Amino acid sequence: MRKEYLNYSSDIPVSISFATIREYPFHWNNSMEILFVLKGTIKVTIDSSTYEIHERELEIINVDETHRIFSNDKDNRVLIFHFDSSFFSKYYSDIENLSFYTNTTDEGVQETEEYIELRTYLSIILYEIIQRKEDYDEELEKTLVDLLYHLINNFHYLTYEKEELRENEEQLARYHRIAKYIYNNYNNKISLQDIAKKEFLSTHYLSHEIKYAMGYSFTDLLNLTRVEESVKLLLDTDKTISEISEEVGFSHTRYYNKHFKIHFKCTPMQFRKKYKASEEIYENQKKITYYDLNESLEYVVSYLENYDRFSYENKIIRINIDVEDELEEMDKSFKEIINLGDAFDLLIEDNKDILEEIQEEVSFKYGRILNVFSTDMGIFPSTEFYNWNRVKSVLEYLDDINLKPLIVLDNNGFKKDEFIKALRNFIEYFIDIESLDINNFRFQFSVNIDEDLLKEVKNILVNEYDLEVCKKYFCVPNDINYIYDTAYMLPFIIHNIISGNVNLEFLKAFDVLERQVNLTNEVFFGYPGLVNDMGIKKPSYYAYYLLNKLGDTVICKGDGYIITKSHDEFQILLYSYNEEVDRLLSFEDFSKMRGLKSNIGRKLSMNIINVLSHVRMIIYDVNEKMGSSYNYWLGMGSPVRLSKEEKEILYKASFPKIDFKYAKKSTVLNIVTEIKNYGATLILIKKISKHLK
């Protein structure tokens, strides 16, 4: 049988499923059904019309309406609600003869208040059934009654099409009686005169009123009803076309064929041949994947924010965003300088490869380098000749990747006159190098430099050669803190760059092994590089990677988020936040907090207005479970050495998760997301024209 009978428990007069629907063949139910698309797109054929239902849109299917659900979107997610008519009949006795209607044709129509309220009622019903808190049955019944009258007042077929009928109860009741009479007597020989007599109206007046209220003439409406009801006999019986034609009220088979073809674009026989199937085949045609109903709750949290009984593991943070707002210019000074460590380290090809990738994806302006004047670079004190080949190689490499040198000056190992001599020779040498522009060099004094030497060197650089000198640089030692390798660094860096609370000069481009360190493994050893010694990106790298994708103008910002824009794109950067990310923790403190199950994950609901177009979104997620090479390494058992295969796996595991999403133009673009543990999410929202969809 194609008619499906829903069974309900005594205390829950509603049945809910959460599924991906690829194919649900023609069938009809003994209940009212509402489809709530949470993700993707589906198509629904109801009687003779097909509708496309997009994400966050609804479709109502009335009792005994023949319908088919299908989709080419393999990732669609749909909530399917079935409501027990006998429950509703306690509050509205004629509920089975009511028809409800939703508009899925006009763009943006389902963003109006009555649709938002309908989605809210459905979300509350879902929540109560999942949570089953104290008195949930009473709350559920109250919400179902509210839903019923919301449907009657806002989605009744007649009032939806003709708003003015809401205020005319007498006329509305008449049209309802007429529709009910036609539906209950379509298979008999009924006429307009029969109805006119019952309503004490003239046939001419009644004909005009039926056309006005229902959109069809009496004859067309009667024939449409007969055709649509015949589908059930075509699919669910072996009766001949002639028998079906007679049973639904047509005087001759050719009239049945004619009217069927008008609405279904094929003959009854062709329709039966295409869709009729045995019970076994019918069941096999269904391509539906069901999921745990709990998984659907995350899609509807935005509709539950103001519901008193709603509680989630963490409170949802609500952010209202107007993309027309402009707070301030985005501060991109975090890209000004990157610490590169010793100049000698830039002679190593692996380090150069790492830095080249960093520069390609973040694009720093200056690279701070130490110990340019050192024996490692072939520059010796008390010498008559300076070999600048190594230094030249480093500086030319930096120029090739569009990174200007910021050279830290320290006379460590040099006497005053030796250092001045080496400096003058350096300047004169590089002034003559055509491939480099010494005016792009900047200089900085180490805090360890002798004050007398500093004054003389500054005079040479500024007054004699007109070169730029920056304030002193405190050369941060390579202190070991395993916190540097963890996902904690992701929100820590983002927050402190946005707020400007903490000096981040201790961070470096890449980890470099030092001779005096007693290593326990060759992968992560507590150094402050963005990339480890094996070229594997750490979470701290992705802090800069995500920040670099922000726009030029800040729309709004707060603890845990910043929203920017540029041209036709908006950028939303969300990150874990509480007092833990205001200061740099030691690894010991971090471990204690994790041991206490400290959770700084958060759930956010963002309502974005004034987008005014269709949009495509790219969503980047990095947290302890995805994109954190350190956490993946822990999951591997913290191997002290990596095989070639393990290194490749860990390298790939360090990439963020990237998703793509499309949203239709709407009055309010709502995005609900969750930041898990220590992590960050970047959402790039790009406006697109409809024809590019």
Side-chain angles (χ1 to χ4, degrees), residues 41-263:
T41 302
I42 63 171
K43 291 184 178 180
V44 183
T45 298
I46 302 175
D47 291 326
S48 58
S49 300
T50 299
Y51 310 93
E52 187 169 75
I53 320 299
H54 296 275
E55 187 170 308
R56 288 172 20 100
E57 291 186 341
L58 303 159
E59 183 61 81
I60 299 175
I61 301 161
N62 294 292
V63 177
D64 276 339
E65 275 190 327
T66 307
H67 62 285
R68 173 194 174 208
I69 311 168
F70 57 103
S71 177
N72 290 324
D73 181 355
K74 61 182 175 59
D75 295 321
N76 75 70
R77 296 290 187 277
V78 185
L79 277 172
I80 308 163
F81 293 80
H82 288 277
F83 298 95
D84 186 354
S85 298
S86 63
F87 170 83
F88 282 152
S89 65
K90 292 189 298 183
Y91 299 93
Y92 195 92
S93 59
D94 207 21
I95 185 66
E96 290 197 12
N97 288 304
L98 281 185
S99 289
F100 298 107
Y101 172 81
T102 52
N103 188 337
T104 53
T105 304
D106 297 335
E107 187 175 307
V109 71
Q110 292 206 12
E111 292 302 321
T112 54
E113 190 62 36
E114 61 266 26
Y115 280 96
I116 294 172
E117 193 171 343
L118 177 53
R119 288 193 286 268
T120 301
Y121 283 133
L122 295 174
S123 301
I124 291 171
I125 291 166
L126 172 71
Y127 175 74
E128 290 294 346
I129 287 176
I130 289 175
Q131 297 296 327
R132 302 203 180 201
K133 293 183 175 182
E134 185 179 358
D135 299 328
Y136 83 95
D137 51 342
E138 295 178 11
E139 193 66 30
L140 186 59
E141 181 167 348
K142 174 183 175 298
T143 306
L144 284 168
V145 174
D146 289 341
L147 171 68
L148 170 63
Y149 286 105
H150 182 66
L151 289 170
I152 292 171
N153 292 328
N154 296 282
F155 295 91
H156 189 295
Y157 173 76
L158 292 171
T159 58
Y160 197 101
E161 292 293 330
K162 296 289 181 286
E163 180 77 23
E164 61 273 18
L165 290 180
R166 292 175 190 263
E167 307 302 323
N168 193 330
E169 292 185 16
E170 183 179 346
Q171 202 170 18
L172 179 60
R174 175 189 296 157
Y175 292 140
H176 177 63
R177 287 194 302 271
I178 293 170
K180 178 180 175 181
Y181 181 80
I182 292 173
Y183 182 77
N184 290 334
N185 295 278
Y186 66 87
N187 53 345
N188 298 318
K189 290 184 178 181
I190 60 174
S191 67
L192 188 62
Q193 287 79 6
D194 295 333
I195 300 174
K197 186 176 179 180
K198 283 179 173 292
E199 296 294 331
F200 302 101
L201 298 171
S202 71
T203 54
H204 176 74
Y205 177 79
L206 182 60
S207 175
H208 176 270
E209 289 298 294
I210 290 176
K211 177 81 174 190
Y212 160 75
M214 303 181 186
Y216 293 95
S217 69
F218 167 76
T219 302
D220 287 342
L221 182 61
L222 178 59
N223 287 329
L224 174 60
T225 304
R226 287 169 170 169
V227 163
E228 290 180 340
E229 288 303 305
S230 75
V231 168
K232 298 168 188 174
L233 298 172
L234 289 170
L235 297 180
D236 217 24
T237 74
D238 293 323
K239 293 182 178 182
T240 66
I241 302 300
S242 178
E243 288 171 332
I244 293 172
S245 172
E246 182 179 356
E247 186 165 333
V248 296
F250 283 104
S251 60
H252 198 283
T253 306
R254 71 169 178 270
Y255 295 131
Y256 173 42
N257 278 292
K258 173 187 173 183
H259 288 288
F260 194 96
K261 197 165 186 179
I262 288 172
H263 296 290

Side-chain angles (χ1 to χ4, degrees), residues 653-678:
S654 71
F655 284 85
K657 178 186 176 185
I658 304 177
D659 283 330
F660 299 88
K661 194 173 182 181
Y662 168 79
K664 291 174 64 178
K665 176 182 175 182
S666 62
T667 306
V668 179
L669 175 63
N670 176 257
I671 300 174
V672 177
T673 190
E674 180 180 2
I675 310 300
K676 297 180 179 177
N677 309 117
Y678 289 95

Side-chain angles (χ1 to χ4, degrees), residues 295-326:
E295 295 178 23
S296 66
L297 199 57
E298 65 179 277
Y299 292 91
V300 301
V301 289
S302 62
Y303 300 105
L304 295 168
E305 291 172 4
N306 298 319
Y307 183 47
D308 292 340
R309 289 167 59 87
F310 173 67
S311 62
Y312 222 56
E313 196 173 294
N314 297 309
K315 182 174 175 60
I316 294 178
I317 298 165
R318 187 171 184 170
I319 305 172
N320 294 315
I321 304 164
D322 186 341
V323 297
E324 294 298 318
D325 289 346
E326 292 187 6

Side-chain angles (χ1 to χ4, degrees), residues 444-497:
Q444 191 170 24
F445 294 111
S446 163
V447 293
N448 300 319
I449 197 168
D450 180 86
E451 285 297 320
D452 290 336
L453 176 61
L454 185 153
K455 291 177 183 177
E456 191 166 344
V457 169
K458 188 173 183 180
N459 181 62
I460 294 170
L461 293 171
V462 176
N463 297 327
E464 293 186 29
Y465 293 101
D466 195 26
L467 298 173
E468 188 174 351
V469 175
C470 305
K471 65 180 182 180
K472 283 186 180 180
Y473 169 65
F474 178 74
C475 187
V476 182
N478 268 347
D479 61 318
I480 296 175
N481 186 349
Y482 293 102
I483 195 74
Y484 294 142
D485 300 319
T486 70
Y488 161 85
M489 294 301 293
L490 184 63
F492 169 78
I493 292 171
I494 291 173
H495 177 70
N496 288 289
I497 283 178

Side-chain angles (χ1 to χ4, degrees), residues 331-359:
D331 183 3
K332 297 288 184 75
S333 59
F334 67 90
K335 297 170 56 174
E336 184 73 9
I337 300 170
I338 183 170
N339 287 322
L340 305 180
D342 288 352
F344 181 78
D345 294 332
L346 295 175
L347 294 172
I348 300 170
E349 287 301 319
D350 286 349
N351 294 338
K352 290 164 73 174
D353 291 342
I354 293 170
L355 181 57
E356 192 169 336
E357 189 168 359
I358 292 174
Q359 188 62 359

